[in-house]
Amino acid sequence: MITRNPKRHLSRAALDEYLDHSSPSVLTIPGEPICRLVVDPAQRRIALRTTHDGRPAPALDLEYIHLNVVHIDGDRWYELSIEYADHPHESYLLISDITDLLQQEGVTFEAAVVSAVATFEQILAHSRSLSREKQIGLFGELLFLIGCIRATSVQEGIESWKGFAPNEHDFVFPTGAFEIKTTTTEARRHRISGLEQLRPLPDSPLWLISIQLTAATPATGRTLSEIVDEARELTSDDTDLARSLARAGWRERDRDTYRTSYRLRSTPAAYLVDRDFPALTRHAISRGCAHPELFVDASYTIDVTTLSSSEPPSPADRFIQEG
């Protein structure tokens, strides 16, 4: 049995090395409480072991995920084991999420498992490839992410990407928040989902970044899969990027279904979401509608073609300038 102490998380390539071993590997993940990753290729199993805190193991009703309390060398451990079949990387991401919740957020083991498994189940629920609308949206967000990484750093760029999480703006930097809207129409028409999407954060400006795409030939454009590969290459296949892609709906098994190539129809444009911007928010409803408390939610389309764009703060300014 091989025992190693790696950096906090493994890259996709590093995990593949352990998956190619004939014997199990046990890797200690730095931090408290103690967390150990078990990779057992012969059993096609990957597991997390962490210190038992005296509470019963939470009940899980999942076919390929098992949770037990085990005794090893006189110590008691929680062990969450996943039969990964053809999805070892996705299984590793689930374990990484639980580890981060334990060691970085300080939550209990039960809370970490329940939270991470809920996210994992949502990921598994997307058994079909992304809809065309979501493909276009992810394409635009990855274009912006790549631009931000080149303007800042891999870590800052990936950590800023929040759009896959509920009630978050797409990208959040110290300089402001950025909502990325991508369309294939000739006009800059963008769908706004909900009354909160264009609500600025306190003491932080909000910018709408408008991206227009058009269909292209393979020689002049790129597919969604190619944009994903470019982001992976730029970040050396960073584990956090893989986790973010998964939460955004990307599945490696679907890559062959994304065959349409796109290129920019125009230079991206930036719009400050201020009093003069056409945003339908709860604040706007409270000022202009009777019984605003009865409005539950709303989705709408805006056309910003005739609005004057502005120069956004870093790192979006470079993205706009370089197109």
Side-chain angles (χ1 to χ4, degrees):
M1 182 171 290
I2 304 169
T3 303
R4 293 188 174 90
N5 189 340
K7 293 183 179 180
R8 181 162 182 79
H9 290 308
L10 299 175
S11 67
R12 188 183 185 93
L15 179 60
D16 285 340
E17 291 184 13
Y18 291 104
L19 293 171
D20 290 338
H21 288 157
S22 58
S23 58
S25 302
V26 178
L27 303 89
T28 299
I29 303 171
E32 293 291 337
I34 297 173
C35 291
R36 291 175 180 164
L37 174 70
V38 181
V39 183
D40 189 350
Q43 300 296 322
R44 301 188 71 77
R45 183 181 77 100
I46 189 169
L48 170 67
R49 290 178 187 155
T50 188
T51 308
H52 185 256
D53 62 8
R55 306 180 190 185
L60 290 180
D61 186 21
L62 296 171
E63 185 175 358
Y64 301 111
I65 302 179
H66 311 285
L67 186 55
N68 299 289
V69 176
V70 298
H71 294 76
I72 301 175
D73 297 329
D75 295 321
R76 289 161 59 87
W77 302 80
Y78 291 115
E79 182 179 85
L80 183 139
S81 177
I82 306 173
E83 300 173 32
Y84 60 72
D86 296 326
H87 305 289
H89 302 98
E90 291 87 346
S91 300
Y92 174 69
L93 291 177
L94 170 63
I95 285 178
S96 297
D97 276 355
I98 296 173
T99 304
D100 286 347
L101 288 168
L102 287 170
Q103 295 183 333
Q104 297 186 338
E105 303 297 330
V107 305
T108 66
F109 180 71
E110 179 176 8
V113 170
V114 170
S115 175
V117 167
T119 299
F120 188 69
E121 287 182 309
Q122 291 174 2
I123 291 172
L124 291 180
H126 297 288
S127 58
R128 299 179 181 177
S129 59
L130 293 169
S131 66
R132 182 179 179 277
E133 181 181 1
K134 290 185 176 180
Q135 291 177 46
I136 297 299
L138 180 56
F139 195 106
E141 289 184 32
L142 288 174
L143 281 180
F144 188 78
L145 172 65
I146 290 169
C148 290
I149 289 173
R150 288 174 174 160
T152 57
S153 67
V154 170
Q155 181 179 0
E156 187 174 358
I158 294 175
E159 288 180 352
S160 73
W161 190 19
K162 312 286 188 181
F164 45 79
N167 302 317
E168 290 276 7
H169 294 307
D170 290 331
F171 290 84
V172 179
F173 286 93
T175 56
F178 302 92
E179 199 66 42
I180 313 304
K181 290 299 179 182
T182 310
T183 182
T184 57
T185 61
E186 293 186 10
R188 292 187 184 275
R189 292 179 179 173
H190 300 293
R191 185 73 172 170
I192 309 301
S193 302
L195 299 175
E196 305 295 329
Q197 192 168 43
L198 294 185
R199 182 176 66 87
L201 299 171
D203 302 319
S204 178
L206 173 62
W207 291 80
L208 184 145
I209 305 298
S210 172
I211 300 174
Q212 290 180 291
L213 300 177
T214 188
T217 66
T220 60
R222 290 173 289 180
T223 65
L224 176 59
S225 299
E226 289 171 333
I227 288 292
V228 168
D229 290 342
E230 182 177 342
R232 284 174 170 170
E233 182 177 355
L234 186 62
T235 62
S236 300
D237 212 5
D238 185 272
T239 301
D240 289 334
L241 173 65
R243 184 183 297 111
S244 297
L245 284 169
R247 289 175 174 172
W250 170 261
R251 300 291 170 267
E252 188 66 23
R253 61 179 176 266
D254 298 329
R255 67 160 39 246
D256 291 340
T257 66
Y258 305 130
R259 299 175 181 175
T260 303
S261 296
Y262 296 98
R263 62 176 176 82
L264 288 175
R265 178 189 293 270
S266 63
T267 301
Y271 303 88
L272 178 62
V273 180
D274 57 11
R275 288 185 176 181
D276 296 326
F277 190 87
L280 185 60
T281 63
R282 292 196 180 279
H283 180 64
I285 289 176
S286 67
R287 289 185 301 160
C289 296
H291 301 291
E293 72 279 3
L294 301 183
F295 285 84
V296 177
D297 204 356
S299 295
Y300 56 100
T301 300
I302 57 175
D303 186 340
V304 297
T305 305
T306 59
L307 293 182
S308 297
S309 59
S310 304
E311 182 175 340
S314 175
D317 55 347
R318 180 172 170 180
F319 175 74
I320 298 297
Q321 292 164 7
E322 298 182 355

